[in-house]
Short mmCIF file of all heavy atoms in Angstrom, two decimals:
data_model
loop_
_atom_site.label_atom_id
_atom_site.label_comp_id
_atom_site.label_asym_id
_atom_site.label_seq_id
_atom_site.Cartn_x
_atom_site.Cartn_y
_atom_site.Cartn_z
N HIS B 348 106.52 82.11 -38.89
CA HIS B 348 105.79 80.81 -38.68
C HIS B 348 106.11 79.91 -39.89
O HIS B 348 106.45 78.75 -39.74
CB HIS B 348 104.34 81.10 -38.53
CG HIS B 348 103.57 79.86 -38.45
ND1 HIS B 348 103.63 78.98 -37.33
CD2 HIS B 348 102.60 79.35 -39.30
CE1 HIS B 348 102.74 77.90 -37.53
NE2 HIS B 348 102.16 78.10 -38.74
N GLY B 349 105.89 80.47 -41.10
CA GLY B 349 106.01 79.60 -42.41
C GLY B 349 107.48 79.22 -42.56
O GLY B 349 107.83 78.03 -42.79
N VAL B 350 108.40 80.20 -42.54
CA VAL B 350 109.79 79.85 -42.82
C VAL B 350 110.39 78.86 -41.81
O VAL B 350 110.94 77.83 -42.15
CB VAL B 350 110.66 81.14 -42.79
CG1 VAL B 350 112.19 80.79 -42.81
CG2 VAL B 350 110.33 82.00 -43.95
N VAL B 351 110.12 79.08 -40.48
CA VAL B 351 110.63 78.18 -39.39
C VAL B 351 109.94 76.76 -39.59
O VAL B 351 110.59 75.76 -39.62
CB VAL B 351 110.38 78.82 -38.07
CG1 VAL B 351 110.68 77.80 -36.95
CG2 VAL B 351 111.29 80.01 -37.93
N MET B 352 108.65 76.78 -39.68
CA MET B 352 107.93 75.51 -39.66
C MET B 352 108.21 74.68 -40.92
O MET B 352 108.44 73.39 -40.75
CB MET B 352 106.41 75.71 -39.52
CG MET B 352 105.95 76.17 -38.09
SD MET B 352 106.45 74.87 -36.86
CE MET B 352 105.30 75.21 -35.64
N VAL B 353 108.24 75.28 -42.09
CA VAL B 353 108.53 74.56 -43.29
C VAL B 353 109.99 74.03 -43.36
O VAL B 353 110.18 72.85 -43.38
CB VAL B 353 108.19 75.38 -44.63
CG1 VAL B 353 108.70 74.62 -45.78
CG2 VAL B 353 106.69 75.52 -44.69
N TRP B 354 110.90 74.99 -43.27
CA TRP B 354 112.32 74.54 -43.57
C TRP B 354 113.02 74.07 -42.36
O TRP B 354 114.10 73.37 -42.46
CB TRP B 354 113.12 75.66 -44.22
CG TRP B 354 112.76 75.75 -45.75
CD1 TRP B 354 112.87 74.78 -46.66
CD2 TRP B 354 112.12 76.87 -46.36
NE1 TRP B 354 112.43 75.19 -47.82
CE2 TRP B 354 111.91 76.47 -47.79
CE3 TRP B 354 111.72 78.14 -45.99
CZ2 TRP B 354 111.43 77.33 -48.65
CZ3 TRP B 354 111.18 78.92 -46.88
CH2 TRP B 354 111.04 78.52 -48.27
N PHE B 355 112.64 74.42 -41.16
CA PHE B 355 113.45 74.00 -40.09
C PHE B 355 112.70 73.03 -39.04
O PHE B 355 113.12 72.74 -38.02
CB PHE B 355 113.92 75.26 -39.28
CG PHE B 355 114.85 76.05 -40.13
CD1 PHE B 355 114.38 77.07 -40.91
CD2 PHE B 355 116.14 75.70 -40.21
CE1 PHE B 355 115.26 77.77 -41.80
CE2 PHE B 355 117.02 76.33 -41.12
CZ PHE B 355 116.57 77.40 -41.86
N PHE B 356 111.45 72.81 -39.42
CA PHE B 356 110.73 71.71 -38.67
C PHE B 356 110.25 70.58 -39.66
O PHE B 356 110.74 69.40 -39.67
CB PHE B 356 109.67 72.20 -37.82
CG PHE B 356 109.00 71.11 -37.05
CD1 PHE B 356 109.73 70.42 -36.00
CD2 PHE B 356 107.76 70.51 -37.45
CE1 PHE B 356 109.11 69.38 -35.32
CE2 PHE B 356 107.19 69.42 -36.75
CZ PHE B 356 107.95 68.81 -35.74
N LEU B 357 109.22 70.94 -40.47
CA LEU B 357 108.52 69.92 -41.29
C LEU B 357 109.49 69.08 -42.29
O LEU B 357 109.35 67.95 -42.29
CB LEU B 357 107.35 70.46 -42.02
CG LEU B 357 106.14 71.02 -41.12
CD1 LEU B 357 105.27 71.87 -41.94
CD2 LEU B 357 105.48 69.77 -40.59
N VAL B 358 110.27 69.86 -43.04
CA VAL B 358 111.12 69.22 -44.06
C VAL B 358 112.10 68.33 -43.42
O VAL B 358 112.23 67.10 -43.85
CB VAL B 358 111.72 70.32 -44.98
CG1 VAL B 358 112.89 69.73 -45.79
CG2 VAL B 358 110.64 70.86 -45.94
N PRO B 359 112.84 68.72 -42.31
CA PRO B 359 113.77 67.82 -41.84
C PRO B 359 113.17 66.85 -40.83
O PRO B 359 113.68 65.76 -40.63
CB PRO B 359 114.79 68.70 -41.09
CG PRO B 359 114.04 70.02 -40.80
CD PRO B 359 112.95 70.11 -41.84
N ALA B 360 112.08 67.14 -40.09
CA ALA B 360 111.67 66.55 -38.90
C ALA B 360 111.87 64.97 -38.84
O ALA B 360 112.65 64.55 -38.06
CB ALA B 360 110.18 66.87 -38.56
N VAL B 361 111.08 64.20 -39.48
CA VAL B 361 111.14 62.75 -39.29
C VAL B 361 112.47 62.23 -39.84
O VAL B 361 113.17 61.44 -39.14
CB VAL B 361 109.99 62.00 -39.92
CG1 VAL B 361 110.25 60.59 -40.01
CG2 VAL B 361 108.80 62.26 -39.05
N PRO B 362 112.97 62.61 -41.05
CA PRO B 362 114.20 62.03 -41.59
C PRO B 362 115.42 62.29 -40.59
O PRO B 362 116.12 61.32 -40.31
CB PRO B 362 114.42 62.75 -42.91
CG PRO B 362 112.97 62.99 -43.30
CD PRO B 362 112.27 63.36 -42.11
#
Side-chain angles (χ1 to χ4, degrees):
Chain B
H348 175 68
V350 168
V351 167
M352 285 301 203
V353 169
W354 281 301
F355 296 95
F356 181 74
L357 290 167
V358 163
V361 167

